[in-house]
Amino acid sequence: MTELQELLDACIRQEIFPELKDELEQLKVKDKAGKLSPATRGLLIRKLKQVLDKNGR
């Protein structure tokens, strides 16, 4: 599992973005399939880390 997938899992498990659960699941599938650009992956990783840190992981 990639770092991005782990972060998405954490957000889904902790229900940090309950209204975005489906979108987070889709991002996870796209990442696993290699369909996200490195720039998109990097941005998502940074943003998700910030949110998780603010919510106490």
Side-chain angles (χ1 to χ4, degrees):
M1 190 177 292
T2 67
E3 181 180 15
L4 177 56
Q5 290 172 8
E6 289 175 10
L7 291 167
L8 290 167
D9 273 348
C11 286
I12 292 165
R13 266 195 318 277
Q14 295 178 29
E15 297 182 354
I16 291 175
F17 304 109
E19 68 281 359
L20 298 177
K21 184 177 180 185
D22 292 338
E23 287 85 349
L24 295 176
E25 289 284 358
Q26 289 173 8
L27 283 171
K28 202 169 115 181
V29 169
K30 285 181 182 179
D31 183 52
K32 191 172 186 177
K35 294 183 179 179
L36 294 178
S37 72
T40 301
R41 289 185 79 250
L43 178 64
L44 284 168
I45 288 169
R46 284 192 302 280
K47 293 295 183 184
L48 291 172
K49 280 183 176 179
Q50 287 175 355
V51 170
L52 288 170
D53 287 343
K54 284 182 185 176
N55 286 293
R57 258 194 177 175

